[in-house]
């Protein structure tokens, strides 16, 4: 278990996050989304399929919370953040579902059938260690921010003002979540730099979004999503490098971990030139060129 001092630091960071969220970032699904502009929404199968896919990924929220909270016994700050995170992520799936329903691009029956397919499966955490999960979530939340930002740009280019605003709200939440986890990692670095670097190197090397294992018809969906996905280059330049910069780290810091950690496969060889998993399925199917977000 983490020390009392570190748990207190986590709590203070959560209170800062919570205050900022309450004062500046909370949004209302019913009042803040421009539903009065539904008549301007184009019938675009690509946008609808992407929105449905993201809605499906967000539906695994009960699994995400159960797995996450099981690692946080005795950690008040991070556990309360997880509960707050769950509330915000719930809005993401709800607003995407409402978008599909209100625009008439999916019927109630279709949405219910899709939800049943989704919830028949189970997501499990990729790590059973709280610090590694903190690193994973910092990477994952920043990845989803990049994905939703690109989806917003696509919606704007396509002329869909409602979906563009939906993605703006969601992306803003994802960035706030990523920054919270970055601050948790910074505290871990202050407490145990070598161990935290080893864990972060392992997380980056093995990072994998679970959508391909969980969503029905994943291959068909990801083919449509290529135009606004995150390929390996984008993952490195817009996720890994900004995350390291936010923590005051360089690529080299992840390679300068103890030799026994390197032998265990926690880092990539320096000659690879990119933070990529050793298996192509770790970030995305080799043929896909897109990453589907998860956990918000």
């Amino acid at each position: 278990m983490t020390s009392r001092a570190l748990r207190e630091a986590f709590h203070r960071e959560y209170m800062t996050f919570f205050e900022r969220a309450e004062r500046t970032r909370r949004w209302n699904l019913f009042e803040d989304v421009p539903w009065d502009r539904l008549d301007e929404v184009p019938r675009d199968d690509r946008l609808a399929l992407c929105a449905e896919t993201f809605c499906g990924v967000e539906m695994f929220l009960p699994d995400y919370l159960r797995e996450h909270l099981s690692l946080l016994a005795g950690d008040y700050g991070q556990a309360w953040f997880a509960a707050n995170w769950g509330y915000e992520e719930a809005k993401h799936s709800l607003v995407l579902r409402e978008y599909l329903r209100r625009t008439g691009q999916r019927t109630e029956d279709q949405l219910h059938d899709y939800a049943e397919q989704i919830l028949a499966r189970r997501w499990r955490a990729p790590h059973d260690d709280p610090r590694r999960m903190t690193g994973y979530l910092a990477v994952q939340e920043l990845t989803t921010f990049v994905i939703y930002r690109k989806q917003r740009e696509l919606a704007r280019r396509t002329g869909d003002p409602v979906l563009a605003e939906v993605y703006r709200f969601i992306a803003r939440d994802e960035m706030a979540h990523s920054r919270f986890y970055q601050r948790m990692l910074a505290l871990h670095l202050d407490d145990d730099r070598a161990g935290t670097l080893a864990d972060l190197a392992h997380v980056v090397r093995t990072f994998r979004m679970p959508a391909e294992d969980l969503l029905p018809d994943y291959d068909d969906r990801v083919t449509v999503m290529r135009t606004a996905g995150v390929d390996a280059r984008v993952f490195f330049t817009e996720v890994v490098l900004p995350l390291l910069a936010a923590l005051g780290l360089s690529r080299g810091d992840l390679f300068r971990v103890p030799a026994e950690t390197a032998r265990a496969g926690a880092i990539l060889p320096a000659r690879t030139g990119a933070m990529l998993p050793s298996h192509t399925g770790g970030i995305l199917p080799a043929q896909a060129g897109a990453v589907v977000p998860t956990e918000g």
Side-chain angles (χ1 to χ4, degrees):
M1 179 181 289
T2 55
S3 67
R4 177 172 180 172
L6 192 56
R7 294 197 305 274
E8 286 295 319
F10 291 161
H11 171 66
R12 289 194 298 272
E13 286 294 345
Y14 170 65
M15 289 301 293
T16 298
F17 169 90
F18 185 67
E19 180 181 9
R20 289 175 178 168
E22 292 288 285
R23 293 183 184 276
T24 67
R25 191 171 49 78
R26 298 295 189 206
W27 54 276
N28 188 297
L29 184 158
F30 303 101
E31 297 180 2
D32 295 329
V33 176
W35 300 120
D36 58 337
R37 301 184 66 181
L38 286 173
D39 59 345
E40 301 176 39
V41 173
R43 300 285 299 192
D44 189 293
D45 291 341
R46 176 181 52 172
L47 289 180
L49 185 66
C50 289
E52 181 186 62
T53 301
F54 303 145
C55 180
V57 174
E58 303 282 8
M59 282 183 188
F60 285 97
L61 180 62
D63 288 354
Y64 302 147
L65 282 174
R66 178 172 51 249
E67 294 283 316
H68 195 184
L69 288 170
S70 70
L71 297 175
L72 299 175
D75 191 331
Y76 179 90
Q78 290 200 89
W80 257 243
F81 172 79
N84 181 98
W85 173 90
Y87 158 71
E88 295 189 353
E89 295 296 333
K91 290 199 297 185
H92 298 175
S93 61
L94 290 173
V95 74
L96 289 167
R97 189 184 191 282
E98 280 297 291
Y99 166 81
L100 292 167
R101 185 184 70 81
R102 294 191 187 206
T103 59
Q105 297 182 87
R106 296 292 186 273
T107 66
E108 288 278 5
D109 285 343
Q110 287 174 322
L111 291 168
H112 281 299
D113 289 345
Y114 182 59
E116 288 183 355
Q117 285 183 286
I118 294 294
L119 297 178
R121 306 185 185 196
R122 174 81 182 270
W123 180 86
R124 296 189 182 279
H127 306 285
D128 59 7
D129 175 80
R131 189 168 64 190
R132 283 191 175 184
M133 276 305 296
T134 297
Y136 172 84
L137 289 163
V139 174
Q140 175 265 310
E141 294 288 332
L142 189 54
T143 304
T144 54
F145 163 77
V146 172
I147 290 169
Y148 281 126
R149 186 195 67 203
K150 290 180 177 294
Q151 289 292 325
R152 182 192 180 202
E153 293 168 356
L154 178 60
R156 292 176 66 178
R157 291 197 303 270
T158 309
D160 189 330
V162 178
L163 189 57
E165 190 68 356
V166 165
Y167 285 141
R168 184 179 74 85
F169 286 131
I170 295 177
R172 191 173 63 176
D173 287 348
E174 304 292 13
M175 177 55 78
H177 300 164
S178 180
R179 285 175 175 165
F180 175 82
Y181 284 118
Q182 289 169 22
R183 288 191 285 272
M184 296 299 96
L185 282 176
L187 291 171
H188 277 299
L189 284 164
D190 289 342
D191 181 67
D192 177 9
R193 184 176 179 85
T196 302
L197 284 173
D199 283 345
L200 183 58
H202 176 76
V203 165
V204 170
R205 181 181 184 275
T206 61
F207 182 73
R208 177 184 180 89
M209 293 293 238
E212 64 188 88
D213 300 320
L214 297 173
L215 292 182
D217 306 320
Y218 176 80
D219 290 340
D220 293 338
R221 292 176 183 278
V222 81
T223 298
V224 174
M225 294 170 61
R226 286 179 187 170
T227 54
V230 175
D231 59 19
R233 180 190 61 80
V234 172
F235 177 75
F236 180 58
T237 60
E238 298 189 32
V239 176
V240 175
L241 291 183
L243 175 62
L244 294 179
L247 295 170
L249 300 174
S250 68
R251 276 182 63 201
D253 289 315
L254 295 192
F255 297 130
R256 288 191 290 269
V257 297
E260 59 270 21
T261 306
R263 286 195 298 271
I267 60 174
L268 289 177
R271 58 183 170 77
T272 58
M275 295 286 185
L276 301 179
S278 57
H279 55 293
T280 57
I283 295 177
L284 65 163
Q287 77 278 10
V291 175
V292 182
T294 185
E295 303 171 58

